[in-house]
Amino acid sequence: MSIQETNQLLRFTTAGSVDDGKSTLIGRLLFDSKSIFEDQIEAVRTSSQKKGFDYVDLSLLTDGLKSEREQGITIDVAYRYFATPRRKFIIADTPGHIQYTRNMVTGASTANLAIILIDARKGLLEQTFRHSFIASLLKIPHVIVCVNKMDLVDYDQETYEQIVKDYKAFCSKMDIKDVHFVPISALKGDNVVERSTNMKWYEGPTLLYLLENVHIASDLNHIDCRFPVQMVIRPHTHEHQDFRGYAGRIEGGVFKPGDDVKVLPSGFTSKIKTIELNGKQIEEAFSPMSVTMTLEDELDISRGDMLVRPNNVPQVGQDLDVMLCWMNQKPLLGRTKLIMRHTTKECQVMVKDILYRVNVNTLHREEGVEQIGMNEIARVSIRAAQPLFFDAYRRNRQTGSIILIDPGTNETLAAGMVI
């Protein structure tokens, strides 16, 4: 494993039905990988005793909101950070309830991997289908299905294998490429960090081993060069009289000084003169680095423009079809005018038509719908007031995603994936 592989950051999200043990699993990961302080463990021990438990309730390590602790559920997306010698991790612990689908979408939108928990006693539930569909919709490249609470079915191999078989049959209808299965007990710690002695029949890796070794370097698009300009830097100081740099985050491809680039929307071309990172010149830059570029020619470039390769241009247009997850209590109707944010560009748009709504549990399309309610997912057609430079979401998660904003209140109303 190269140095770059070892210190990579893996973002993963956990999903499952209510009481499937997500918070306990994360608590177990933090506890067994020695990523929490002694006083935190002590506080959890005390809380567990107060509640009359005869075990240490590790879920209390992650359920931060007071209302969650009182009800024993997770409402918000809780982000947790931990590291092992091999990798750094950011966990998005998302809620299991149906009414918090939007939180699940938020937590999963930047994830490299999703852990989907299934209770060994209950098998596949509505939420399993819902969360798997969202993982597939958001093109999360890797999925680990953890069959939890194996201790409550006496570590039975047949129960585990039946769930694996059922999940594979369902999963074949969706676009999930890399799926792993692990039988675990988050409460007892079987196969989470340490191998289980209770399931000798399982010969695969532990959950932590998979998290540390899943290959994520190829998940980013290093083919299509995309650099949305965030700001133009003109210091006007004595030593940098004529400096004009373009700052932003690379959302695809690899850029090097000397490369030919084309500016969208103007279509002018130039060459990259220098690329700077933290004030130092570098020889190449790639996604997801934030850099400042200078060009050989003085061109009129502003925020929202994009630098691309002359022979590899994204789609340019004002009409797009988008899979939308609606996040607001007020439903979305057709012919609604909103603000759209796409990479660094913001413009007015109109949601022209609601083409169909997806029934998340059966994956069927419901046509002829007049509105989309909160937490519902639908395909809509959008018309923008200005040309946008976009790729299909399946090709580039950064240049293929949008958010819709209420022009009056500035609230985020929806997240969308360009088809």
Side-chain angles (χ1 to χ4, degrees), residues 206-226:
T206 64
L207 173 61
L208 185 65
Y209 181 88
L210 280 171
L211 291 174
E212 286 184 327
N213 292 282
V214 66
H215 180 67
I216 56 170
S218 57
D219 293 346
L220 290 162
N221 182 329
H222 289 309
I223 298 160
D224 305 318
C225 291
R226 307 284 183 260

Side-chain angles (χ1 to χ4, degrees), residues 250-276:
I250 296 171
E251 302 295 17
V254 181
F255 289 89
K256 295 176 180 166
D259 283 352
D260 289 316
V261 287
K262 182 176 195 170
V263 182
L264 297 176
S266 67
F268 289 126
T269 54
S270 183
K271 273 187 168 31
I272 298 176
K273 191 172 172 185
T274 62
I275 303 175
E276 287 186 12

Side-chain angles (χ1 to χ4, degrees), residues 2 25 27 39 49 88 96 112 126 154 162 166 235 337 370-371 395:
S2 69
L25 174 65
D39 59 338
Q49 282 167 355
K88 297 177 183 138
N112 308 91
E126 185 183 317
D154 298 325
Q162 185 59 48
D166 292 347
K337 289 184 179 172
E370 310 253 313
Q371 58 179 44
R395 190 164 178 93

Side-chain angles (χ1 to χ4, degrees), residues 137 139 175 177 221 391-397 400 417-419:
L137 186 70
K139 301 285 177 279
D175 187 15
K177 293 180 178 66
N221 182 329
D391 298 283
Y393 184 83
R394 62 170 48 244
R395 190 164 178 93
N396 188 321
R397 281 170 84 181
M417 285 69 71
V418 179
I419 296 168

Side-chain angles (χ1 to χ4, degrees), residues 295-312:
L295 302 181
E296 298 281 2
D297 305 278
E298 290 229 344
L299 299 175
D300 181 16
I301 300 174
S302 54
R303 180 185 168 90
D305 292 359
M306 191 183 280
L307 302 185
V308 297
R309 285 263 188 284
N311 56 359
N312 178 341

Side-chain angles (χ1 to χ4, degrees), residues 279-351:
K280 295 192 179 96
Q281 291 199 11
I282 54 173
E283 287 311 303
E284 67 168 18
F286 46 85
S287 172
M289 291 164 73
S290 293
V291 296
T292 303
M293 294 191 196
T294 61
L295 302 181
E296 298 281 2
D297 305 278
E298 290 229 344
L299 299 175
D300 181 16
I301 300 174
S302 54
R303 180 185 168 90
D305 292 359
M306 191 183 280
L307 302 185
V308 297
R309 285 263 188 284
N311 56 359
N312 178 341
V313 179
Q315 296 179 56
V316 180
Q318 289 172 265
D319 290 294
L320 20 153
D321 270 12
V322 176
M323 284 304 276
L324 212 59
C325 173
W326 190 252
M327 299 178 172
N328 199 266
Q329 283 162 343
K330 274 197 312 202
L332 169 69
L333 306 168
R335 318 295 294 171
T336 305
K337 289 184 179 172
L338 301 167
I339 301 284
M340 179 164 89
R341 205 167 280 168
H342 170 257
T343 65
T344 55
K345 197 177 183 72
E346 204 170 272
C347 68
Q348 288 188 319
V349 295
M350 179 195 269
V351 177

